[in-house]
Amino acid sequence: MLRRLVILALSLLFLGSVLIYNKMQQLAVQPLQLTDTLFTVPAGASALGLCRQWQRQQLLDEQDCHLLRLTIWLQPELSAVRAGTYRVSADLSLVQLLELFARGEVAQFAFTWREGETLQQTLERLQQADYLQYDLDEQQLLHLLRWPDDWGPMPEVAEGLFFPETYFYTAHSRASQLLSRAHQSLLQHLAASWHLRSLDHPLETPYELLILASIIEKEAGHEPEKPLVSSVFVNRLRSNMRLQTDPTVIYGLENFSGRITRADLNNPHPYNTYRHHGLPPGPIASVSRSSLQAAAEPAETTLYYFVSRGDGTHVFSETLQEHNAAVRRYILGQNNE
């Protein structure tokens, strides 16, 4: 009789163990069916605490949390969840989520700094960036700047001093951190381009190179034309001709209507290269690597003019007569050929 009782007890224990094992296996693979794609694990959270939270949301039941205790006893690494915001999906199970949190593979967010965009336009988009703390004002921007001593005076404005590319960050990062990285990247790219310039280049400082590159960025929509556009401006600088470039006029206007008028061209603001010789006082946009390279290494030409064809490309001319003919054809619509 005793032997039968022992066998029965062992059988029940075995069946119970199998049942528990199957339940634990189910806990490891059954989707929790979270509805959001992002989940934040707060500081100080525990695996069992998260289980209770999901139990209150009726995604799990009390038995699941009891089984989790046993699972953690067998896999203690699951208890070491790390705070942060994670990308999750509905098909992840409780165990898979805890494994993700234990690895600390927090979500990465991306912000793309656009070429040719003004700093104000970029800052407006930064304020709307997901999970990014916007902690900037004008004075903080200037405090982020690090200008090499041998490059001349520190720029008085931050326009153009951040390199356009995609920057990745984790939730609750600060916007100032992204700008510091973008500024350091700009300094590196500007230094590399400055070393490429020829000895007879008319620009005297890296900052002047940056200013010219920003004008090229705004004028040259067709990448292969950037060295030609650069050559036009460099030839004009060498000849003491005014640059006469529309983007500089637009940049200095407080309220641009969308079309340049004669009054705009006569506006005496310091960025108006129709009124003032030489480069404007600062960059007018963020600059790409190709624009920096074009500013440092312009094509060797005798070109002094260009006019848009209206398709993103330009007609380049050596003389004013040729340029006026191109203007009549492509701007005024008069085909004299």
Coordinates of all heavy atoms in Angstrom, one line a residue, residues 227-318:
P227 N 31.8 72.4 -58.4 CA 33.1 73.0 -58.7 C 33.0 74.2 -59.7 O 33.8 75.1 -59.6 CB 33.9 71.9 -59.2 CG 33.3 70.6 -58.7 CD 31.8 71.0 -58.6
L228 N 32.1 74.1 -60.6 CA 31.9 75.2 -61.6 C 31.3 76.4 -60.9 O 31.8 77.6 -61.2 CB 31.1 74.8 -62.8 CG 31.6 73.7 -63.7 CD1 30.6 73.3 -64.7 CD2 32.9 74.3 -64.4
V229 N 30.3 76.2 -60.1 CA 29.7 77.4 -59.4 C 30.8 78.0 -58.5 O 30.9 79.2 -58.4 CB 28.5 76.9 -58.5 CG1 28.1 78.0 -57.6 CG2 27.4 76.4 -59.4
S230 N 31.6 77.2 -57.8 CA 32.7 77.7 -57.0 C 33.7 78.5 -57.8 O 34.1 79.6 -57.4 CB 33.4 76.5 -56.3 OG 34.4 77.0 -55.5
S231 N 34.0 78.0 -59.0 CA 34.9 78.8 -59.8 C 34.4 80.1 -60.2 O 35.2 81.1 -60.2 CB 35.3 78.0 -61.1 OG 34.2 78.0 -62.0
V232 N 33.1 80.3 -60.4 CA 32.5 81.6 -60.8 C 32.8 82.5 -59.6 O 33.2 83.7 -59.8 CB 31.1 81.5 -61.1 CG1 30.4 82.8 -61.1 CG2 30.9 80.7 -62.4
F233 N 32.5 82.1 -58.4 CA 32.6 83.0 -57.2 C 34.1 83.3 -56.9 O 34.4 84.4 -56.6 CB 31.9 82.4 -56.0 CG 30.4 82.3 -56.1 CD1 29.7 81.1 -55.8 CD2 29.7 83.4 -56.6 CE1 28.3 81.1 -56.0 CE2 28.3 83.4 -56.7 CZ 27.6 82.2 -56.4
V234 N 34.9 82.3 -57.1 CA 36.4 82.5 -56.8 C 36.9 83.5 -57.8 O 37.7 84.4 -57.5 CB 37.1 81.2 -56.8 CG1 38.6 81.4 -56.9 CG2 36.8 80.4 -55.6
N235 N 36.5 83.3 -59.1 CA 37.0 84.3 -60.1 C 36.5 85.7 -59.9 O 37.2 86.7 -60.1 CB 36.5 83.8 -61.5 CG 37.2 82.6 -62.0 OD1 38.3 82.2 -61.5 ND2 36.6 81.9 -62.9
R236 N 35.3 85.8 -59.4 CA 34.8 87.1 -59.1 C 35.5 87.8 -57.9 O 35.8 89.0 -57.9 CB 33.3 87.0 -58.7 CG 32.4 86.9 -60.0 CD 30.9 86.8 -59.7 NE 30.1 87.0 -60.9 CZ 29.5 88.1 -61.2 NH1 29.5 89.1 -60.3 NH2 28.8 88.3 -62.3
L237 N 35.8 86.9 -56.9 CA 36.6 87.5 -55.7 C 38.0 87.9 -56.2 O 38.4 89.0 -55.7 CB 36.7 86.4 -54.7 CG 35.4 86.0 -53.9 CD1 35.6 84.8 -53.0 CD2 35.0 87.2 -53.0
R238 N 38.6 87.2 -57.0 CA 39.9 87.5 -57.5 C 39.9 88.8 -58.3 O 40.8 89.6 -58.3 CB 40.5 86.4 -58.4 CG 41.0 85.2 -57.5 CD 41.4 84.1 -58.4 NE 42.0 83.0 -57.7 CZ 42.1 81.7 -58.1 NH1 41.5 81.4 -59.2 NH2 42.7 80.8 -57.3
S239 N 38.8 89.1 -59.0 CA 38.6 90.3 -59.9 C 38.0 91.4 -59.1 O 37.7 92.5 -59.8 CB 37.8 89.9 -61.1 OG 38.4 88.9 -61.8
N240 N 37.7 91.3 -57.8 CA 37.0 92.3 -57.0 C 35.7 92.6 -57.6 O 35.2 93.8 -57.5 CB 37.9 93.5 -56.9 CG 37.4 94.4 -55.8 OD1 37.0 94.0 -54.8 ND2 37.6 95.8 -56.0
M241 N 35.0 91.6 -58.2 CA 33.6 91.8 -58.6 C 32.7 91.4 -57.5 O 33.0 90.5 -56.7 CB 33.3 90.9 -59.8 CG 34.1 91.3 -61.1 SD 33.9 90.1 -62.4 CE 32.1 90.2 -62.7
R242 N 31.5 92.0 -57.4 CA 30.5 91.6 -56.4 C 30.0 90.2 -56.8 O 29.9 89.8 -58.0 CB 29.4 92.6 -56.4 CG 29.8 93.9 -55.9 CD 28.7 95.0 -56.0 NE 29.1 96.3 -55.5 CZ 28.4 97.4 -55.7 NH1 27.3 97.3 -56.3 NH2 28.9 98.5 -55.2
L243 N 29.7 89.4 -55.8 CA 29.3 88.0 -56.0 C 27.9 88.0 -56.6 O 27.5 87.1 -57.4 CB 29.3 87.2 -54.7 CG 30.6 87.0 -54.1 CD1 30.5 86.1 -52.8 CD2 31.7 86.5 -55.1
Q244 N 27.0 88.9 -56.2 CA 25.7 89.1 -56.8 C 24.9 87.7 -56.8 O 24.5 87.2 -57.9 CB 25.7 89.7 -58.2 CG 26.2 91.1 -58.2 CD 26.2 91.8 -59.5 OE1 26.6 91.1 -60.5 NE2 25.9 93.0 -59.6
T245 N 24.8 87.1 -55.7 CA 24.1 85.8 -55.6 C 22.8 86.0 -54.8 O 22.8 86.5 -53.6 CB 25.0 84.8 -54.9 OG1 24.2 83.6 -54.6 CG2 25.7 85.3 -53.7
D246 N 21.7 85.5 -55.3 CA 20.4 85.7 -54.7 C 20.2 85.1 -53.3 O 19.6 85.8 -52.5 CB 19.3 85.2 -55.7 CG 19.1 86.0 -56.9 OD1 19.8 87.1 -57.1 OD2 18.4 85.6 -57.8
P247 N 20.7 83.9 -53.1 CA 20.5 83.4 -51.7 C 21.0 84.2 -50.6 O 20.4 84.2 -49.5 CB 21.3 82.0 -51.8 CG 21.2 81.7 -53.2 CD 21.4 83.0 -54.0
T248 N 22.1 85.0 -50.8 CA 22.6 85.9 -49.8 C 21.6 87.0 -49.5 O 21.4 87.5 -48.4 CB 23.9 86.5 -50.1 OG1 23.9 87.3 -51.3 CG2 25.0 85.3 -50.3
V249 N 21.0 87.5 -50.6 CA 20.0 88.6 -50.4 C 18.8 88.0 -49.6 O 18.3 88.7 -48.7 CB 19.5 89.0 -51.8 CG1 18.4 90.1 -51.7 CG2 20.6 89.6 -52.6
I250 N 18.3 86.9 -50.0 CA 17.2 86.3 -49.3 C 17.4 86.0 -47.8 O 16.6 86.3 -47.0 CB 16.8 84.9 -50.0 CG1 16.3 85.2 -51.4 CG2 15.7 84.2 -49.2 CD1 16.1 84.0 -52.3
Y251 N 18.6 85.5 -47.5 CA 19.0 85.2 -46.2 C 18.9 86.5 -45.2 O 18.5 86.3 -44.1 CB 20.4 84.7 -46.1 CG 20.8 84.3 -44.7 CD1 20.5 83.1 -44.1 CD2 21.6 85.2 -43.9 CE1 20.8 82.7 -42.8 CE2 22.0 84.8 -42.6 CZ 21.6 83.6 -42.1 OH 21.9 83.3 -40.8
G252 N 19.2 87.6 -45.8 CA 19.2 88.8 -44.9 C 17.9 89.5 -44.8 O 17.8 90.5 -44.1
L253 N 16.9 89.1 -45.5 CA 15.6 89.7 -45.5 C 14.8 89.2 -44.3 O 14.7 88.0 -44.1 CB 14.8 89.4 -46.8 CG 15.5 90.0 -48.1 CD1 14.7 89.6 -49.3 CD2 15.5 91.6 -48.0
E254 N 14.1 90.0 -43.6 CA 13.3 89.6 -42.5 C 12.0 88.9 -43.0 O 11.5 88.0 -42.4 CB 12.9 90.8 -41.6 CG 14.1 91.4 -40.9 CD 13.7 92.5 -39.9 OE1 12.5 92.7 -39.8 OE2 14.6 93.1 -39.3
N255 N 11.4 89.5 -44.0 CA 10.1 88.9 -44.5 C 10.3 88.7 -46.0 O 10.0 89.7 -46.8 CB 8.9 89.8 -44.2 CG 8.7 89.9 -42.7 OD1 8.5 88.9 -42.0 ND2 8.9 91.1 -42.1
F256 N 10.7 87.6 -46.5 CA 10.9 87.3 -47.9 C 9.6 86.9 -48.5 O 8.9 85.9 -48.0 CB 12.0 86.3 -48.1 CG 12.2 86.0 -49.6 CD1 12.4 86.9 -50.5 CD2 12.1 84.6 -50.0 CE1 12.6 86.6 -51.9 CE2 12.3 84.3 -51.4 CZ 12.5 85.3 -52.3
S257 N 9.1 87.5 -49.6 CA 7.8 87.2 -50.2 C 7.8 86.0 -51.0 O 6.7 85.5 -51.4 CB 7.4 88.4 -51.0 OG 8.3 88.6 -52.1
G258 N 9.0 85.4 -51.3 CA 9.0 84.3 -52.2 C 9.5 84.6 -53.6 O 9.9 83.7 -54.4
R259 N 9.7 85.9 -53.9 CA 10.2 86.3 -55.2 C 11.0 87.6 -54.9 O 10.6 88.5 -54.3 CB 9.1 86.6 -56.1 CG 9.6 87.0 -57.5 CD 8.4 87.0 -58.5 NE 8.9 87.3 -59.9 CZ 8.2 87.2 -61.0 NH1 7.0 86.7 -60.9 NH2 8.7 87.5 -62.1
I260 N 12.3 87.6 -55.4 CA 13.2 88.7 -55.2 C 12.7 89.9 -56.1 O 12.4 89.8 -57.3 CB 14.6 88.3 -55.6 CG1 15.1 87.3 -54.6 CG2 15.5 89.6 -55.6 CD1 16.6 86.9 -54.8
T261 N 12.6 91.0 -55.4 CA 12.2 92.3 -56.1 C 13.4 93.2 -56.3 O 14.5 93.0 -55.7 CB 11.1 93.0 -55.3 OG1 11.6 93.4 -54.1 CG2 9.9 92.0 -55.1
R262 N 13.2 94.3 -57.0 CA 14.3 95.2 -57.2 C 14.6 95.9 -55.8 O 15.7 96.2 -55.5 CB 13.9 96.3 -58.2 CG 15.0 97.3 -58.5 CD 14.6 98.3 -59.6 NE 14.3 97.6 -60.8 CZ 15.3 97.2 -61.7 NH1 16.6 97.5 -61.4 NH2 15.0 96.6 -62.8
A263 N 13.5 96.1 -55.0 CA 13.8 96.6 -53.7 C 14.6 95.7 -52.8 O 15.5 96.1 -52.0 CB 12.4 96.9 -53.0
D264 N 14.4 94.4 -53.0 CA 15.2 93.4 -52.2 C 16.7 93.5 -52.7 O 17.6 93.5 -51.8 CB 14.7 92.0 -52.5 CG 13.3 91.7 -51.9 OD1 13.0 92.4 -51.0 OD2 12.7 90.8 -52.5
L265 N 16.9 93.6 -53.9 CA 18.3 93.7 -54.4 C 19.0 95.0 -54.0 O 20.2 95.1 -53.9 CB 18.3 93.7 -56.0 CG 17.8 92.4 -56.6 CD1 17.9 92.4 -58.1 CD2 18.7 91.2 -56.1
N266 N 18.2 96.0 -53.7 CA 18.8 97.3 -53.2 C 18.8 97.4 -51.7 O 19.3 98.4 -51.2 CB 17.9 98.5 -53.8 CG 18.1 98.7 -55.3 OD1 19.2 98.4 -55.8 ND2 17.0 99.1 -56.0
N267 N 18.3 96.4 -51.0 CA 18.3 96.4 -49.6 C 19.7 96.4 -49.1 O 20.5 95.5 -49.5 CB 17.5 95.2 -49.0 CG 17.3 95.3 -47.6 OD1 18.2 95.5 -46.8 ND2 16.1 95.0 -47.2
P268 N 20.1 97.4 -48.2 CA 21.5 97.5 -47.8 C 22.0 96.5 -46.7 O 23.0 96.7 -46.1 CB 21.6 98.9 -47.3 CG 20.3 99.2 -46.8 CD 19.3 98.4 -47.7
H269 N 21.2 95.5 -46.4 CA 21.6 94.6 -45.3 C 22.9 94.0 -45.6 O 23.3 93.8 -46.8 CB 20.5 93.5 -45.0 CG 20.3 92.5 -46.1 ND1 21.2 91.5 -46.3 CD2 19.3 92.3 -47.0 CE1 20.8 90.7 -47.3 NE2 19.6 91.2 -47.7
P270 N 23.7 93.6 -44.6 CA 25.1 93.2 -44.8 C 25.3 91.9 -45.6 O 26.4 91.7 -46.1 CB 25.6 93.0 -43.3 CG 24.4 92.9 -42.5 CD 23.3 93.7 -43.1
Y271 N 24.2 91.1 -45.8 CA 24.4 89.9 -46.5 C 24.1 90.1 -48.0 O 24.3 89.2 -48.8 CB 23.5 88.8 -46.0 CG 23.9 88.2 -44.7 CD1 23.7 88.8 -43.5 CD2 24.7 87.0 -44.7 CE1 24.2 88.2 -42.3 CE2 25.1 86.4 -43.6 CZ 24.9 87.0 -42.3 OH 25.3 86.5 -41.2
N272 N 23.7 91.3 -48.4 CA 23.4 91.6 -49.8 C 24.6 91.7 -50.7 O 25.3 92.8 -50.7 CB 22.5 92.8 -49.9 CG 21.9 93.0 -51.3 OD1 22.4 92.4 -52.3 ND2 20.9 93.9 -51.4
T273 N 24.9 90.6 -51.4 CA 26.2 90.7 -52.2 C 26.0 91.4 -53.5 O 26.9 91.5 -54.3 CB 26.6 89.2 -52.5 OG1 25.6 88.5 -53.1 CG2 27.1 88.5 -51.2
Y274 N 24.8 92.0 -53.8 CA 24.6 92.9 -54.9 C 25.0 94.3 -54.5 O 25.4 95.1 -55.3 CB 23.1 92.9 -55.3 CG 22.7 91.7 -56.1 CD1 22.3 90.6 -55.5 CD2 22.7 91.8 -57.5 CE1 21.9 89.5 -56.3 CE2 22.3 90.7 -58.3 CZ 21.9 89.6 -57.7 OH 21.5 88.5 -58.4
R275 N 25.0 94.6 -53.2 CA 25.4 95.9 -52.7 C 26.8 96.0 -52.1 O 27.4 97.0 -52.1 CB 24.4 96.3 -51.6 CG 23.0 96.6 -52.1 CD 22.9 97.8 -52.9 NE 23.4 99.0 -52.3 CZ 22.6 99.8 -51.5 NH1 21.3 99.5 -51.3 NH2 23.2 100.9 -50.9
H276 N 27.3 94.8 -51.6 CA 28.6 94.8 -51.0 C 29.6 93.9 -51.7 O 29.2 92.8 -52.2 CB 28.4 94.4 -49.5 CG 27.4 95.1 -48.8 ND1 27.5 96.5 -48.4 CD2 26.1 94.7 -48.3 CE1 26.4 96.9 -47.8 NE2 25.6 95.8 -47.7
H277 N 30.8 94.3 -51.7 CA 31.9 93.5 -52.3 C 32.2 92.3 -51.3 O 32.0 92.5 -50.1 CB 33.1 94.3 -52.6 CG 33.0 95.1 -53.9 ND1 32.3 96.3 -53.9 CD2 33.3 94.8 -55.2 CE1 32.3 96.8 -55.1 NE2 32.9 95.9 -55.9
G278 N 32.8 91.3 -51.9 CA 33.4 90.2 -51.0 C 32.3 89.3 -50.5 O 31.1 89.3 -50.9
L279 N 32.7 88.5 -49.6 CA 31.8 87.5 -49.0 C 30.8 88.2 -48.0 O 31.2 89.2 -47.4 CB 32.6 86.4 -48.2 CG 33.4 85.5 -49.1 CD1 34.4 84.7 -48.2 CD2 32.6 84.6 -49.9
P280 N 29.7 87.6 -47.7 CA 28.8 88.1 -46.6 C 29.5 87.9 -45.3 O 30.5 87.1 -45.2 CB 27.5 87.3 -46.8 CG 27.9 86.1 -47.5 CD 29.1 86.5 -48.4
P281 N 29.0 88.4 -44.2 CA 29.6 88.3 -42.9 C 29.6 86.9 -42.3 O 30.4 86.6 -41.3 CB 28.9 89.3 -42.0 CG 27.6 89.5 -42.7 CD 27.8 89.3 -44.2
G282 N 28.8 86.0 -42.8 CA 28.7 84.7 -42.2 C 28.0 83.7 -43.2 O 27.5 84.1 -44.2
P283 N 28.0 82.4 -42.9 CA 27.4 81.4 -43.7 C 25.8 81.7 -43.7 O 25.3 82.3 -42.8 CB 27.6 80.1 -43.0 CG 28.8 80.4 -42.1 CD 28.7 81.8 -41.7
I284 N 25.2 81.2 -44.8 CA 23.8 81.4 -44.9 C 23.0 80.1 -44.8 O 21.8 80.1 -44.9 CB 23.5 82.1 -46.3 CG1 23.9 81.2 -47.4 CG2 24.1 83.4 -46.3 CD1 23.5 81.7 -48.8
A285 N 23.7 78.9 -44.6 CA 23.0 77.6 -44.5 C 24.0 76.6 -44.0 O 25.2 76.9 -44.0 CB 22.4 77.2 -45.8
S286 N 23.5 75.4 -43.7 CA 24.4 74.3 -43.4 C 25.0 73.8 -44.7 O 24.4 73.9 -45.8 CB 23.6 73.2 -42.7 OG 22.6 72.7 -43.6
V287 N 26.2 73.2 -44.6 CA 26.9 72.9 -45.8 C 27.3 71.4 -45.8 O 27.6 70.8 -44.8 CB 28.2 73.7 -46.0 CG1 27.9 75.2 -46.1 CG2 29.2 73.5 -44.8
S288 N 27.2 70.8 -47.0 CA 27.6 69.4 -47.2 C 29.1 69.3 -47.4 O 29.8 70.3 -47.7 CB 26.8 68.8 -48.4 OG 27.2 69.5 -49.6
R289 N 29.5 68.1 -47.4 CA 31.0 67.8 -47.6 C 31.3 68.2 -49.0 O 32.4 68.8 -49.3 CB 31.3 66.3 -47.4 CG 32.7 66.0 -47.6 CD 32.9 64.5 -47.3 NE 34.3 64.1 -47.5 CZ 34.7 62.8 -47.4 NH1 33.9 61.8 -47.1 NH2 36.0 62.5 -47.7
S290 N 30.5 67.9 -50.0 CA 30.8 68.2 -51.4 C 30.9 69.7 -51.6 O 31.7 70.2 -52.4 CB 29.7 67.6 -52.3 OG 28.5 68.1 -52.0
S291 N 30.1 70.5 -50.9 CA 30.2 72.0 -51.1 C 31.5 72.5 -50.4 O 32.1 73.4 -51.0 CB 28.9 72.6 -50.4 OG 27.8 72.4 -51.2
L292 N 31.9 71.9 -49.3 CA 33.1 72.3 -48.7 C 34.3 72.0 -49.7 O 35.2 72.8 -49.8 CB 33.3 71.6 -47.4 CG 32.5 72.1 -46.2 CD1 32.6 71.1 -45.0 CD2 33.0 73.5 -45.8
Q293 N 34.2 70.8 -50.3 CA 35.3 70.4 -51.2 C 35.3 71.3 -52.4 O 36.4 71.7 -52.9 CB 35.1 69.0 -51.6 CG 35.4 68.0 -50.5 CD 35.2 66.6 -50.9 OE1 34.3 66.3 -51.7 NE2 35.9 65.6 -50.3
A294 N 34.1 71.7 -52.9 CA 34.1 72.6 -54.1 C 34.6 74.0 -53.8 O 35.3 74.6 -54.6 CB 32.6 72.7 -54.6
A295 N 34.3 74.4 -52.6 CA 34.8 75.8 -52.1 C 36.4 75.7 -52.0 O 37.0 76.7 -52.4 CB 34.2 76.2 -50.8
A296 N 36.9 74.6 -51.6 CA 38.4 74.5 -51.4 C 39.0 74.2 -52.7 O 40.2 74.7 -53.0 CB 38.7 73.4 -50.4
E297 N 38.4 73.5 -53.6 CA 39.0 73.1 -54.9 C 38.1 73.4 -56.1 O 37.5 72.6 -56.7 CB 39.3 71.6 -54.9 CG 40.2 71.1 -53.8 CD 40.5 69.6 -53.9 OE1 39.6 68.9 -53.5 OE2 41.6 69.2 -54.3
P298 N 37.9 74.7 -56.4 CA 37.1 75.1 -57.5 C 37.7 74.6 -58.8 O 38.9 74.4 -58.9 CB 37.1 76.6 -57.4 CG 38.3 77.0 -56.7 CD 38.6 75.9 -55.7
A299 N 36.8 74.4 -59.8 CA 37.3 74.1 -61.1 C 38.1 75.3 -61.7 O 37.9 76.5 -61.3 CB 36.1 73.8 -62.1
E300 N 39.2 75.0 -62.4 CA 40.0 76.1 -63.1 C 39.3 76.5 -64.3 O 39.4 75.8 -65.4 CB 41.4 75.5 -63.3 CG 42.1 75.2 -62.0 CD 43.6 74.8 -62.3 OE1 44.0 74.9 -63.5 OE2 44.3 74.4 -61.4
T301 N 38.6 77.6 -64.3 CA 37.9 78.1 -65.4 C 38.1 79.6 -65.6 O 38.7 80.3 -64.7 CB 36.4 77.9 -65.3 OG1 35.8 78.8 -64.3 CG2 36.1 76.4 -64.9
T302 N 37.5 80.2 -66.6 CA 37.5 81.6 -66.8 C 36.0 82.1 -66.8 O 35.6 83.1 -67.5 CB 38.1 82.1 -68.1 OG1 37.5 81.3 -69.2 CG2 39.6 81.8 -68.1
L303 N 35.2 81.4 -66.1 CA 33.8 81.7 -66.0 C 33.5 82.7 -64.9 O 34.1 82.7 -63.9 CB 33.0 80.4 -65.6 CG 33.1 79.2 -66.6 CD1 32.5 78.0 -66.0 CD2 32.5 79.6 -68.0
Y304 N 32.5 83.6 -65.2 CA 32.1 84.7 -64.3 C 30.6 84.8 -64.1 O 30.2 85.5 -63.2 CB 32.6 86.0 -64.8 CG 34.1 86.2 -64.6 CD1 35.0 85.8 -65.6 CD2 34.7 86.8 -63.5 CE1 36.4 85.9 -65.5 CE2 36.0 87.0 -63.4 CZ 36.9 86.5 -64.4 OH 38.3 86.7 -64.2
Y305 N 29.9 84.0 -64.8 CA 28.4 84.1 -64.7 C 27.8 82.7 -64.8 O 28.3 81.8 -65.4 CB 27.9 85.0 -65.9 CG 28.5 86.3 -66.0 CD1 29.7 86.5 -66.8 CD2 28.0 87.4 -65.3 CE1 30.3 87.7 -66.9 CE2 28.6 88.7 -65.5 CZ 29.7 88.8 -66.3 OH 30.3 90.1 -66.4
F306 N 26.6 82.6 -64.3 CA 25.7 81.4 -64.5 C 24.3 81.8 -64.3 O 24.0 82.7 -63.6 CB 26.1 80.2 -63.7 CG 26.0 80.4 -62.2 CD1 24.8 80.2 -61.5 CD2 27.1 80.8 -61.4 CE1 24.7 80.4 -60.2 CE2 27.0 81.0 -60.0 CZ 25.8 80.8 -59.4
V307 N 23.4 81.1 -65.0 CA 22.0 81.3 -64.9 C 21.3 80.0 -65.0 O 21.7 79.0 -65.6 CB 21.5 82.2 -66.1 CG1 21.6 81.5 -67.4 CG2 20.0 82.6 -65.8
S308 N 20.2 79.9 -64.2 CA 19.5 78.6 -64.1 C 18.7 78.3 -65.4 O 18.1 79.2 -65.9 CB 18.5 78.6 -62.9 OG 17.7 77.5 -62.9
R309 N 18.7 77.0 -65.7 CA 17.9 76.5 -66.9 C 16.5 76.2 -66.4 O 15.6 76.0 -67.2 CB 18.5 75.2 -67.5 CG 19.8 75.4 -68.3 CD 20.1 74.1 -69.0 NE 21.2 74.2 -69.9 CZ 22.5 73.8 -69.5 NH1 22.7 73.4 -68.3 NH2 23.5 74.0 -70.4
G310 N 16.3 76.2 -65.1 CA 15.0 75.9 -64.6 C 14.8 74.4 -64.3 O 13.7 74.0 -63.8
D311 N 15.8 73.6 -64.5 CA 15.7 72.2 -64.2 C 16.7 71.7 -63.2 O 17.0 70.5 -63.0 CB 15.9 71.3 -65.5 CG 17.2 71.6 -66.2 OD1 18.0 72.4 -65.6 OD2 17.5 70.9 -67.2
G312 N 17.3 72.7 -62.5 CA 18.3 72.4 -61.5 C 19.7 72.5 -62.0 O 20.7 72.5 -61.2
T313 N 19.9 72.7 -63.3 CA 21.2 72.9 -63.9 C 21.4 74.3 -64.3 O 20.4 75.1 -64.3 CB 21.5 71.9 -65.1 OG1 20.6 72.3 -66.2 CG2 21.3 70.5 -64.7
H314 N 22.6 74.7 -64.7 CA 22.9 76.1 -65.1 C 23.6 76.2 -66.4 O 24.3 75.2 -66.8 CB 23.7 76.7 -64.0 CG 23.1 76.8 -62.7 ND1 23.0 75.8 -61.8 CD2 22.4 77.9 -62.1 CE1 22.4 76.2 -60.7 NE2 22.0 77.4 -60.8
V315 N 23.5 77.4 -67.0 CA 24.3 77.7 -68.2 C 25.4 78.7 -67.6 O 25.1 79.7 -67.0 CB 23.5 78.4 -69.2 CG1 24.4 78.9 -70.4 CG2 22.4 77.5 -69.8
F316 N 26.7 78.3 -67.9 CA 27.8 79.1 -67.4 C 28.4 79.9 -68.6 O 28.4 79.5 -69.7 CB 28.9 78.2 -66.9 CG 28.5 77.5 -65.6 CD1 27.8 76.2 -65.7 CD2 28.7 78.0 -64.4 CE1 27.3 75.6 -64.6 CE2 28.3 77.3 -63.2 CZ 27.6 76.1 -63.3
S317 N 28.8 81.1 -68.3 CA 29.3 82.0 -69.3 C 30.6 82.7 -68.8 O 30.8 83.0 -67.6 CB 28.3 83.1 -69.6 OG 27.1 82.5 -70.0
E318 N 31.4 83.1 -69.8 CA 32.7 83.8 -69.6 C 32.4 85.3 -69.6 O 33.1 86.1 -68.9 CB 33.8 83.4 -70.5 CG 34.2 82.0 -70.4 CD 35.3 81.6 -71.4 OE1 35.7 82.5 -72.2 OE2 35.8 80.5 -71.3

